[in-house]
Amino acid sequence: MSDLIHTPHSASYSSVFQFSIRNPRFNNTSASRRPIAIITPITVSQVQSAVLCSRRHGLQVRVRSGGHDFEGMSYISSAPSQPFLLIDLINLRNVTVDVPTKSAWVQAGAVLGELYHSIASASGTLAFPAGICPSVGVGGHISGGGYGMLLRKYGMAADNVLDARLVDAEGRILDRAGMGEDVFWAIRGGGGNTYGVVVSWKVKLVPVPRRVTGFKVSKTSEGSLTKVIQRYQHVVDKLPDDLIIDSAAAQGQTIIQAEFLGLYLGETESLLTVMKQSFPELELTEEGCTEMSWIESALYCAGYPKNTSYDELLNSRNSSSLQFAKLKAKSDYVQRPLPVRALQGIWRSFDQVEAGPPLVQMVPHGGRMSRISNSSIPYPHRSGNIYKIQYFASWFGEDKKVEKRHLHWINGLYRFMTPYVSNNPRGAYPNSRDLDLGVVWGEQYFKHNFERLARVKAAIDPSNFFRNEQSVPPFVRMTTGRV
């Protein structure tokens, strides 16, 4: 049992707690905010036991898969008076690929790198549309939507789920038929730790060509960065579905630099024709393109060195949290191209931060994303959005003044962007949890889907056993005046 149950009195407690933390902001939290015990089950029946035991003793439950949680809500609590148990799914990580049916069962504790490796080992022409960071846990990623480089072709990870196995508050194991279509709808993007513990997902695998093309193009503030970004905003959601171009701008040592990361489901010659017609301002050349397999593109987009074996994806979970910067993130959706004054305001804000480069990332929508209904799954930010924009403040060390300066920067930029982003309500990405949103978070994450999510919650978990600071409650909150 010592391999399964870890208490503050166990020698293993601190190492197990910290191993999957990807945001070091929460490494040194007080004991009152940490779980009174960590369970690392190796069977689904042990998850059932942990749930039933917690209910019997009046404990909350938190569930962790990969640990990429911007606010740490999967493993710490902001309510010290409420003790809780952490169910860490790190040992539930099996992946079974079925090539004939183009599907796979993946346990929720697997990380994306492990899932991608299993798919590539079984087929060179199948993939799964999820994120570029291989250490992200499958469970949380799908629970909040999950976007990646196949977004415009096939939608989000949660759009490509066929079935799931859920341990509910009564300790029952429910599949899609057992939980019903309303609960199955809710768990695909309605947020984790809300409806039960999803222990495995059956996902739909999508076809990809044997050769795809990737590219990375850098632009600087000394050149035509603002001009290129302006053009980017007008075309990026209208490109062919087979092409996606992410953009990320950061403050370098002396200049602002933006990197455009692209993936095209085809060969270089065809890509260059598309870019010449639609986005010549990026000045993409044949020399700047790299043809590769889909699994090689997963390594390429994640920033692995050239010629890295895809077997390295099996080590994705072993990244220590100490290698990561402390992080605060916010998100918005852009429905009209940002004017020059807004872009210049972003660039100016970069000069206000020291000891940790700020980052602004643009993830395009359009394509398949615009053709999926806003209520198909809980994720509502579809048609009408050009791209999702995310702001990241990052820093190292324990200096509270440094932390305060970075939080001040990101809050200031978020206020500055108010006139330029979606409103009524202002949108936010469910997987970019932001406790600063306060009581209006439900509408910002889910818009009109929030009321339905609350009804589902009331049906599957009326006592609100599964909860965190931003889990869906079993009732509808009055927020901005609408029910």
Side-chain angles (χ1 to χ4, degrees):
M1 295 299 292
S2 62
D3 292 334
L4 303 178
I5 302 176
H6 314 269
T7 73
H9 303 292
S10 308
S12 59
Y13 180 87
S14 292
S15 60
V16 171
F17 176 73
Q18 293 182 358
F19 182 77
S20 293
I21 294 179
R22 303 304 179 210
N23 191 346
R25 282 178 68 193
F26 308 115
N27 265 356
N28 298 318
T29 54
S30 64
S32 63
R33 298 186 65 193
R34 293 187 176 194
I36 64 167
I38 304 171
I39 309 298
T40 52
I42 58 176
T43 67
V44 175
S45 64
Q46 291 166 351
V47 176
Q48 294 175 281
S49 297
V51 169
L52 293 173
C53 181
S54 297
R55 289 200 66 180
R56 184 178 302 121
H57 293 282
L59 302 175
Q60 282 191 14
V61 164
R62 299 287 168 109
V63 183
R64 180 166 69 177
S65 53
H68 282 270
D69 186 335
F70 290 134
E71 298 286 15
M73 286 185 284
S74 63
Y75 49 86
I76 63 171
S77 173
S78 61
S81 61
Q82 178 61 62
F84 71 98
L85 183 79
L86 171 59
I87 300 177
D88 192 322
L89 301 176
I90 188 170
N91 294 321
L92 294 177
R93 55 206 290 188
N94 184 59
V95 182
T96 304
V97 177
D98 188 337
V99 173
T101 63
K102 297 181 180 178
S103 65
W105 274 103
V106 52
Q107 289 187 306
V111 295
L112 295 180
E114 294 168 335
L115 173 59
Y116 293 164
H117 185 277
S118 294
I119 296 171
S121 297
S123 171
T125 57
L126 291 175
F128 183 65
I132 67 172
C133 183
S135 58
V136 165
V138 170
H141 191 62
I142 296 177
S143 294
Y147 65 86
M149 298 302 286
L150 298 178
L151 178 78
R152 302 189 67 253
K153 180 68 174 181
Y154 295 113
M156 312 184 79
D159 292 319
N160 293 274
V161 174
L162 301 170
D163 203 343
R165 294 193 179 102
L166 172 82
V167 176
D168 73 355
E170 303 297 326
R172 299 173 298 179
I173 302 175
L174 305 175
D175 62 7
R176 179 174 181 173
M179 71 181 77
E181 288 302 306
D182 279 346
V183 177
F184 183 64
W185 171 84
I187 63 175
R188 292 174 295 151
N193 206 65
T194 290
Y195 313 98
V197 183
V198 178
V199 292
S200 58
W201 303 89
K202 184 180 183 181
V203 298
K204 178 174 65 177
L205 305 183
V206 299
V208 290
R210 290 196 175 276
R211 304 297 290 174
V212 302
T213 304
F215 62 87
K216 297 175 183 177
V217 177
S218 294
K219 297 290 182 180
T220 70
S221 54
E222 291 184 351
S224 55
L225 176 56
T226 299
K227 179 181 177 181
V228 173
I229 290 288
Q230 279 188 286
R231 178 61 178 169
Y232 173 87
Q233 296 183 100
H234 283 88
V235 304
V236 73
D237 63 323
K238 303 175 183 66
L239 295 169
D241 294 4
D242 290 332
L243 175 60
I244 188 169
I245 307 175
D246 280 7
S247 174
Q251 177 69 59
Q253 290 185 342
T254 58
I255 58 175
I256 297 169
Q257 180 171 325
E259 181 177 85
F260 297 84
L261 171 64
L263 181 67
Y264 179 64
L265 301 181
E267 298 180 349
T268 300
E269 182 178 358
S270 176
L271 168 63
L272 291 175
T273 299
V274 171
M275 293 297 287
K276 183 177 181 180
Q277 294 173 347
S278 301
F279 197 6
E281 292 83 358
L282 194 61
E283 301 177 307
L284 181 64
T285 64
E286 183 175 358
E287 293 73 24
C289 298
T290 303
E291 290 189 7
M292 62 195 95
S293 65
W294 168 74
I295 193 62
E296 289 171 333
S297 78
L299 294 161
Y300 177 86
C301 293
Y304 282 85
K306 188 176 181 180
N307 298 322
T308 299
S309 168
Y310 83 98
D311 287 340
E312 187 62 29
L313 292 171
L314 295 177
N315 297 320
S316 300
R317 184 181 278 281
N318 296 329
S319 301
S320 168
S321 64
L322 298 178
Q323 298 173 350
F324 291 81
K326 295 182 177 181
L327 191 68
K328 173 67 179 180
K330 292 181 176 292
S331 62
D332 271 314
Y333 289 86
V334 175
Q335 299 175 333
R336 299 183 305 275
L338 300 179
V340 171
R341 64 180 177 275
L343 294 173
Q344 291 176 339
I346 295 173
W347 310 152
R348 286 195 300 270
S349 78
F350 284 1
D351 293 330
Q352 302 170 7
V353 185
E354 301 174 3
L359 176 70
V360 173
Q361 180 187 30
M362 300 173 180
V363 180
H365 280 41
R368 172 75 174 144
M369 285 290 286
S370 293
R371 298 190 293 273
I372 299 176
S373 166
N374 286 341
S375 58
S376 175
I377 63 172
Y379 182 86
H381 310 290
R382 306 280 188 169
S383 179
N385 292 299
I386 302 173
Y387 57 87
K388 176 175 68 68
I389 186 169
Q390 292 204 153
Y391 324 102
F392 298 95
S394 60
W395 64 97
F396 292 92
E398 303 300 325
D399 191 328
K400 291 298 181 181
K401 292 182 179 179
V402 172
E403 177 174 333
K404 183 177 180 180
R405 185 162 62 244
H406 283 78
L407 295 178
H408 178 76
W409 170 80
I410 196 170
N411 288 324
L413 179 58
Y414 188 73
R415 289 192 298 270
F416 169 78
M417 293 297 292
T418 302
Y420 307 113
V421 297
S422 64
N423 55 69
N424 295 322
R426 187 173 185 172
Y429 177 42
N431 265 349
S432 294
R433 292 298 199 189
D434 181 5
L435 289 176
D436 296 340
L437 297 182
V439 298
V440 302
W441 63 266
E443 290 191 336
Q444 293 198 223
Y445 291 144
F446 304 115
K447 296 171 67 174
H448 55 277
N449 291 329
F450 184 51
E451 184 177 350
R452 182 181 176 187
L453 286 169
R455 292 198 303 269
V456 173
K457 172 68 171 180
I460 189 70
D461 183 19
S463 66
N464 202 21
F465 172 68
F466 291 104
R467 64 187 186 273
N468 58 41
E469 291 79 356
Q470 287 190 341
S471 58
V472 175
F475 53 85
V476 178
R477 287 195 177 104
M478 296 296 292
T479 55
T480 59
R482 298 188 303 280
V483 176

